[in-house]
Amino acid sequence: MQSGSTLEKLPIGDDQNRAALDRARKTLGTIILGKDDQIALALSCLLARGHLLIEDLPGLGKTMLAQSLARVLGLSYRRIQFTSDLLPADIVGVSVFRQEKGEFEFQPGPIFSQLILADEVNRATPKAQSALLESMEEYQVSVDGNTRTLPEPFFVVATQNPADQIGTFPLPESQLDRFLMRLELGYPNEDNERELIIGEDRRSMLEGIDAVASPEALLALQKAAAALHMSDPLVDYIQALVRQTRESPDIDIGLSPRGALALAAAAKAHAFVEHHSGVYPDDIQAVFAAVAGHRLKPAGNTTYRSAAELCQHVLDSVAIP
Amino acid sequence: MTKGRGTDGSLLASLPWTLLALAISLGPHVPYLPWWITAAFIVCGVWRFSIEKRRRPVPSTWFRALLAMSCFLGVLATYSTISGVGPGSALLAIMAALKLIETRQRRDQFVLLFISIFLVMSSLLREQYLWSLPYLVLSVFMIMTAWLRISSPGAERPRRSFGTSGRLVMYAAPLAIAMWIFFPRIATPFWSVPMDTGTAQSGVSDTMSPGDISSLSMSDAVAFRVTFKGVIPEPRDRYWRGLVLTNFNGRTWTSSDPYAVRALEQVVYNGRPVEYTVTLEPTRQIWVFALDMPESWNLSRTFMGPQQQLARSIPIDQRMAYDAVSFLDYRTDVELSDDARDFFTTVPDTSNPRTRELARQMRAEHGSDAAFVEAVMRMFHEEEFYYTLQPPALGSDSVDRFLFDTRQGFCEHYASAFAVLMRAAGIPSRVVLGYQGGEVNPMGGHMIVRQSDAHAWNEIWLPDLGWRRIDPTSAVAPERIEAGRSGSMFDGVAEAWGFSSPSMWVYEMQMYMDALNAKWNEWILGYGPENQDRFMDWLGIDDPDWQKKVLLLIGWTMGLLFVVSFAMALRNGAPRRDRAARLYRQFVKRSGQVPAVGETPAAFALRLQSEDRLPAATVNEITRSYLEARYGVPDPTWLERLEKAVGAMPRFASAARAQRTA
């Protein structure tokens, strides 16, 4: 098909769309400083048609990441602030009786956008949460007995404060599973923080940037990413990792087959973002914590304090075929 | 599994496929099998399925043995032999049905599929029609699908199985075609298929007993096809001479020994020759048909008998083609010895007294033999004689009964009565059996003669003229002779059965199918040594002996395999991938470091670079090539680069070490 005789030649995908993707990554890097890995992961998540959960303390730029993703990729964007009194109708919309027409008219909710930022999703009641999570799974919503298809592409970027904060309803495992990746942003390093302080206001900076890609380009990129070559040893590697999560004494519940599929899809997308001609072991390792972290249930007596550590432990105990 | 325990229902998913494959392979046999075998087959299928469905045990060994024995005896009783195509395929079918009820595991189903393939093959021993090939392909396709279904119960979608089996059949096709084209054909095969003598079918039999048959079945089957080189004779001249019946015992006409004398020299041919090629369907008889009167023919082991009948020394049990030349104008046996005269005027004194009396009377009334013959013909024409295919049975003194009582009959009745009348009046006469007519297929340009064209006519001997053909049926039903088949076929018969004449397009379809069939016979079934040599010649291969053919076959097969493997190599890519892994292990060994568990090549490369033991360029090149060769899109250049880089490594390594030690 193509001969990747040099590293510089981009082996896969439509050149124009590829270039747009690279530009998007670069632009995101100028807004969210020093988080190149997380940006690559977030883009991979979108390319793999997955939803993204960003979990971290307030004020670390979760919202900013979601907003800039929508902006850069040219997606229509709505933000839903989840609160404890949020109702499902506030998300999917409601039918309103129009007196002048004498009929009900559907008022679409904020869910009818290409990129939804579900802010602080664990602050809402499970009822409101499930309204969102169901639409994520089905790519459609049912209101008053009518099924309405959501726009395409459709992404949910949900943010969540760590569960030990007061007044939250943590998402159960089954619903966490709907997110392809969970990211932690973490604090910026000192240089970056300094630049944040003295530099331009990020919000106004965001106003100034143009979309570098389009929804159509994104759909094409998704297709190209899904078609990326995955060699047999890599499949073996994924299987070995999944087996390790199931057999490790530190983990109560390992990865499901859906988790394995998610791992493969995310790794492909990551390889695509990284310009690899096929999926490399590095791609799997890069996405592993983000994909597996929220799907694993650590054993009670485990010595690993965080999901990230646990995932690293799994990676460190499986040989690369 | 022990006896008596119920089945576990594990075959429930695959059993219908096995049954389907079996049913399809049984299909072509059904018209020939005794009905009870088909019934037993269906019963066994339903029975086995319900056993599986209800988780019941399969019948005990004793019961099955008893069943097998009784079925074997049943076949023996039906055919009174177990050899031959008929009994053989019957046995095969019934044993397949019985095997079904002892199927317990997946493995047993494979045996059943083997039997299916065997059943399909054996149907070709019986008939090889145009539709046999597509049916064969379909059967193999279905059997392969069943095979795939059984191999992967439940896991695979049927559509996928169909796809795979279609692909398999397609892969096999070029090889099959090559085999068919190049496999050396032998003029006389080592083996021959045992024919069922009991099922011989022909419109012409060796003897003739008018009155024993009360209704003649009209078979549309093709008797032979003829391609004329020049002008096609008129319908009234289309008498296809077969055998000659000379002996009459009062009821049945039989022939005398056809091999007795060579009689060709007794014939004087006049006029213009008619050249044509006959493709004769197998009759399992010795008679060879040719236009009256044949002068030469190129069929092996075929001679002209004393009554100018063509006979072969071995029965015609496969389709045969021969060229022949005939003359419509001829004379035979202008001189007839007294012995011969006596022989051809013999009528038993004990039977048919009324006919003999009538002959004597009429001969006395008319002055000459010729006038007498004319009077008899007029009698048939003018008196109340009817041509019908469903005449009443006649019993003894059949000619008397026919001439004076029933007066209904077809060609055999008239020919028989006419010959008896002639003989009783002292005129030598005999009966000729063969075919009369034939229709020209407008699509293929050839003539089809069907079993329904079978005919009987007479020859009488007159002084100075020799044997003359005379057809009493023409006096009764002239349209039978003039128009050929359709006239006689639908006169009375069609109305009696409540048919109207088939519409034109049905006729055209039939003609088209027959033209196609003729080509099929000529090129596919008739692809014998001559056709093969001709085809080889056309391919530009001189003097193709069997060694050349075998070499060609091997060459073709090898070429095919090469193409297939090349295509597969292109698709699956890659020299073996683990070569990259081996080279990388070499590199790791020489690097003096061990990657940690879970350390990716890229991470390992970074570590090596930080330790600065190997040139960064080398490490990068090897890591890059390895990643691409092992994990990237298959591309042999990366492997080459990896090999080159690893091969060049020791020099770098030793150089680095040398530097350090210095």
Side-chain angles (χ1 to χ4, degrees):
Chain A
M1 202 161 78
Q2 69 283 313
S3 67
S5 54
T6 59
L7 180 57
E8 289 68 36
K9 272 190 192 159
L10 302 178
I12 301 229
D14 178 42
D15 287 344
Q16 220 180 331
N17 292 341
R18 275 246 52 145
L21 182 67
D22 293 340
R23 264 203 314 281
R25 186 177 174 184
K26 209 173 147 199
T27 313
L28 286 169
T30 61
I31 299 169
I32 295 142
L33 297 172
K35 298 289 172 201
D36 198 48
D37 291 349
Q38 278 85 344
I39 289 169
L41 284 173
L43 281 174
S44 308
C45 186
L46 298 198
L47 283 191
R49 288 173 56 87
H51 303 293
L52 183 63
L53 178 66
I54 307 177
E55 186 174 280
D56 224 323
L57 296 165
L60 289 173
K62 302 189 290 281
T63 313
M64 184 57 73
L65 177 61
Q67 257 178 338
S68 13
L69 271 176
R71 186 94 194 171
V72 164
L73 297 176
L75 304 173
S76 65
Y77 167 78
R78 293 292 273 280
R79 172 182 175 152
I80 310 171
Q81 183 64 50
F82 277 50
T83 55
S84 56
D85 56 356
L86 187 81
L87 294 174
D90 297 330
I91 300 171
V92 299
V94 68
S95 288
V96 182
F97 187 73
R98 295 278 176 208
Q99 212 143 30
E100 62 270 25
K101 287 187 190 163
E103 59 186 21
F104 281 97
E105 196 182 273
F106 180 65
Q107 286 282 303
I111 193 95
F112 290 91
S113 309
Q114 288 166 326
L115 196 145
I116 312 293
L117 173 61
D119 221 358
E120 299 190 88
V121 73
N122 57 344
R123 289 214 173 274
T125 55
K127 197 172 178 178
Q129 285 174 356
S130 54
L132 173 77
L133 294 160
E134 268 172 41
S135 62
M136 287 164 55
E137 187 75 8
E138 313 288 336
Y139 291 92
Q140 62 187 26
V141 290
S142 295
V143 188
D144 300 335
N146 292 324
T147 302
R148 293 166 202 279
T149 314
L150 293 171
E152 207 176 347
F154 174 73
F155 297 117
V156 172
V157 178
T159 70
Q160 172 167 287
N161 286 335
D164 54 357
Q165 294 227 335
I166 297 162
T168 57
F169 298 91
L171 294 172
E173 278 92 355
S174 65
Q175 300 202 329
L176 280 173
D177 203 31
R178 308 245 166 115
F179 291 97
L180 179 66
M181 289 189 191
R182 184 183 66 173
L183 290 184
E184 285 164 22
L185 284 177
Y187 295 107
N189 66 23
E190 277 184 28
D191 290 351
N192 292 330
E193 197 155 28
R194 188 176 177 82
E195 199 178 324
L196 267 179
I197 295 164
I198 58 172
E200 197 185 339
D201 175 40
R202 297 289 127 180
R203 235 165 259 290
S204 56
M205 216 174 136
L206 193 59
E207 300 287 308
I209 57 173
D210 294 325
V212 295
S214 61
E216 292 73 37
L218 192 57
L219 287 173
L221 285 168
Q222 282 176 344
K223 264 204 193 109
L228 198 78
H229 176 74
M230 169 122 68
S231 56
D232 286 343
L234 251 288
V235 180
D236 295 342
Y237 189 36
I238 291 177
Q239 284 193 302
L241 286 173
V242 170
R243 205 178 313 121
Q244 179 66 25
T245 65
R246 293 173 192 165
E247 287 168 2
S248 166
D250 292 304
I251 300 168
D252 261 0
I253 300 173
L255 283 180
S256 61
R258 195 200 291 178
L261 280 174
L263 188 56
K268 274 186 184 180
H270 191 267
F272 188 80
V273 171
E274 294 287 354
H275 293 230
H276 296 160
S277 77
V279 182
Y280 291 171
D282 309 76
D283 296 314
I284 293 191
Q285 296 201 348
V287 299
F288 187 71
V291 173
H294 59 293
R295 296 172 203 258
L296 298 177
K297 189 171 180 235
N301 56 355
T302 182
T303 51
Y304 299 100
R305 283 165 303 166
S306 70
E309 271 182 38
L310 193 59
C311 287
Q312 190 56 50
H313 163 67
V314 171
L315 287 177
D316 287 343
S317 45
V318 174
I320 298 165
Chain B
M1 199 180 278
T2 52
K3 199 173 73 174
R5 211 194 304 163
T7 55
D8 55 2
S10 61
L11 303 184
L12 207 53
S14 54
L15 203 58
W17 293 95
T18 313
L19 291 175
L20 186 67
L22 272 174
I24 283 180
S25 49
L26 186 72
H29 290 282
V30 167
Y32 301 96
L33 289 177
W35 66 268
W36 63 270
I37 288 187
T38 312
F41 203 93
I42 295 169
V43 167
C44 284
V46 173
W47 187 14
R48 181 65 188 82
F49 189 73
S50 68
I51 284 174
E52 194 70 27
K53 184 122 191 166
R54 299 192 187 150
R55 309 281 198 272
R56 296 254 284 279
V58 294
S60 71
T61 315
W62 280 109
F63 184 69
R64 277 183 276 129
L66 202 70
L67 260 182
M69 203 57 217
S70 51
C71 284
F72 179 78
L73 290 176
V75 170
L76 200 60
T78 311
Y79 290 94
S80 63
T81 174
I82 53 159
S83 66
V85 175
S89 51
L91 261 185
L92 196 59
I94 196 68
M95 288 307 155
L98 291 177
K99 179 76 198 166
L100 201 54
I101 56 170
E102 65 165 9
T103 310
R104 289 186 178 150
Q105 300 164 18
R106 236 165 45 159
R107 193 173 47 118
D108 300 332
Q109 290 185 296
F110 290 129
V111 174
L112 280 172
L113 292 181
F114 272 124
I115 296 176
S116 302
I117 291 177
F118 214 78
L119 266 172
V120 173
M121 295 260 297
S122 64
S123 75
L124 291 181
L125 295 179
R126 192 142 33 200
E127 52 188 16
Q128 303 181 5
Y129 295 132
L130 184 56
W131 55 264
S132 299
L133 182 68
Y135 193 86
L136 191 70
V137 172
L138 175 82
S139 314
V140 171
F141 170 70
M142 284 311 299
I143 292 169
M144 289 311 294
T145 309
W147 209 290
L148 291 166
R149 298 303 300 165
I150 295 167
S151 307
S152 61
E156 201 175 71
R157 297 178 59 180
R159 235 178 75 190
R160 214 179 130 82
S161 305
F162 278 121
T164 310
S165 101
R167 259 207 324 280
L168 287 174
V169 171
M170 254 164 52
Y171 290 156
L175 209 60
I177 291 170
M179 287 278 190
W180 184 77
I181 291 178
F182 294 119
F183 197 85
R185 304 285 165 137
I186 305 150
T188 47
F190 304 124
W191 65 89
S192 68
V193 178
M195 284 297 168
D196 303 326
T197 44
T199 59
Q201 281 175 345
S202 169
V204 174
S205 59
D206 279 357
T207 62
M208 184 177 97
S209 319
D212 284 4
I213 315 156
S214 66
S215 107
L216 186 65
S217 67
M218 296 293 281
S219 163
D220 249 358
V222 173
F224 50 89
R225 295 183 175 85
V226 192
T227 316
F228 288 95
K229 296 220 167 64
V231 187
I232 298 175
E234 293 294 311
R236 64 169 178 277
D237 289 330
R238 293 177 194 161
Y239 280 88
W240 303 94
R241 193 181 181 84
L243 64 154
V244 178
L245 305 178
T246 54
N247 303 345
F248 185 57
N249 68 358
R251 185 187 181 100
T252 303
W253 286 87
T254 51
S255 61
S256 52
D257 180 10
Y259 304 129
V261 195
R262 307 275 177 275
L264 192 58
E265 61 272 15
Q266 300 160 348
V267 189
V268 179
Y269 298 97
N270 301 315
R272 293 179 53 179
V274 180
E275 292 177 50
Y276 53 93
T277 307
V278 177
T279 311
L280 184 61
E281 298 290 316
T283 59
R284 286 133 211 193
Q285 293 176 326
I286 58 169
W287 311 112
V288 173
F289 297 92
L291 199 63
D292 206 17
M293 167 63 73
E295 188 252 345
S296 62
W297 53 94
N298 68 351
L299 189 61
S300 65
R301 303 199 204 183
T302 305
F303 309 101
M304 187 178 263
Q307 285 95 38
Q308 292 84 37
Q309 68 272 56
L310 293 185
R312 199 159 183 261
S313 55
I314 47 171
I316 295 155
D317 49 16
Q318 55 180 330
R319 188 177 293 107
M320 302 224 141
Y322 50 92
D323 301 323
V325 178
S326 290
F327 286 78
L328 299 177
D329 187 6
Y330 63 91
R331 287 185 179 205
T332 61
D333 295 315
V334 179
E335 301 296 323
L336 199 65
S337 69
D338 286 349
D339 282 352
R341 248 190 118 95
D342 286 348
F343 178 68
F344 287 115
T345 51
T346 307
V347 197
D349 294 336
T350 50
S351 64
N352 302 310
R354 286 190 284 171
T355 307
R356 282 182 287 132
E357 181 54 34
L358 175 74
R360 265 192 295 279
Q361 260 181 30
M362 285 180 74
R363 178 65 186 88
E365 281 171 25
H366 298 88
S368 67
D369 284 350
F372 166 66
V373 170
E374 203 176 309
V376 171
M377 290 295 274
R378 207 164 45 236
M379 174 184 84
F380 281 140
H381 185 59
E382 286 172 1
E383 293 185 25
E384 297 275 294
F385 283 98
Y386 296 102
Y387 182 87
T388 172
L389 295 173
Q390 284 139 308
L394 297 173
S396 62
D397 290 339
S398 56
V399 180
D400 273 7
R401 285 265 298 148
F402 168 66
L403 277 181
F404 297 98
D405 304 336
T406 66
R407 296 196 154 193
Q408 295 174 28
F410 47 87
C411 55
E412 290 193 356
H413 297 77
Y414 290 99
S416 173
F418 188 83
V420 172
L421 278 169
M422 289 299 124
R423 285 186 171 196
I427 302 172
S429 65
R430 59 196 188 189
V431 176
V432 184
L433 294 185
Y435 294 88
Q436 199 284 319
E439 56 184 325
V440 177
N441 186 329
M443 278 60 175
H446 60 275
M447 179 185 282
I448 312 162
V449 178
R450 297 176 190 276
Q451 297 298 357
S452 54
D453 292 324
H455 192 50
W457 62 92
N458 296 95
E459 282 176 335
I460 54 171
W461 185 87
L462 295 173
D464 301 330
L465 293 172
W467 289 104
R468 306 303 300 173
R469 180 176 69 217
I470 188 156
D471 189 349
T473 312
S474 70
V476 183
E479 70 282 354
R480 168 73 176 81
I481 309 304
E482 288 296 329
R485 171 180 159 265
S486 55
S488 66
M489 169 117 181
F490 297 107
D491 270 4
V493 183
E495 283 91 61
W497 290 355
F499 296 163
S500 58
S501 288
S503 60
M504 199 56 202
W505 73 267
V506 172
Y507 174 76
E508 275 178 6
M509 277 301 286
Q510 279 177 348
M511 288 292 118
Y512 184 72
M513 277 312 291
D514 192 81
L516 212 62
N517 237 321
K519 287 269 173 270
W520 172 259
N521 289 341
E522 187 181 350
W523 285 106
I524 308 298
L525 299 182
Y527 187 77
E530 296 90 14
N531 273 351
Q532 189 175 40
D533 287 352
R534 226 183 303 158
F535 185 71
M536 297 280 167
D537 211 42
W538 182 80
L539 281 180
I541 299 151
D542 308 328
D543 187 25
D545 53 4
W546 70 269
Q547 284 139 319
K548 272 192 188 165
K549 289 173 193 168
V550 169
L551 277 178
L552 267 170
L553 181 57
I554 293 173
W556 177 288
T557 313
M558 298 293 274
L560 258 172
L561 287 178
F562 180 76
V563 167
V564 168
S565 51
F566 191 72
M568 278 170 75
L570 270 187
R571 229 176 70 177
N572 298 345
R576 296 201 322 267
R577 211 69 67 80
D578 48 45
R579 208 161 128 234
R582 216 174 48 232
L583 285 167
Y584 188 72
R585 274 201 297 277
Q586 231 168 24
F587 156 74
V588 168
K589 211 165 146 191
R590 289 175 194 175
S591 72
Q593 288 287 335
V594 183
V597 177
E599 190 172 18
T600 65
F604 183 60
L606 275 177
R607 186 150 65 89
L608 284 182
Q609 279 169 19
S610 68
E611 286 171 8
D612 201 22
R613 291 180 55 174
L614 282 168
T618 308
V619 173
N620 277 341
E621 171 69 6
I622 288 173
T623 306
R624 169 108 222 111
S625 317
Y626 171 64
L627 283 174
E628 288 291 350
R630 189 157 164 78
Y631 304 112
V633 176
D635 180 359
T637 55
W638 286 110
L639 198 62
E640 283 163 27
R641 276 175 71 168
L642 177 63
E643 199 164 15
K644 219 169 111 191
V646 174
M649 221 183 99
R651 198 154 44 86
F652 283 117
S654 56
R657 211 172 296 130
Q659 234 171 14
R660 265 205 313 282
T661 47

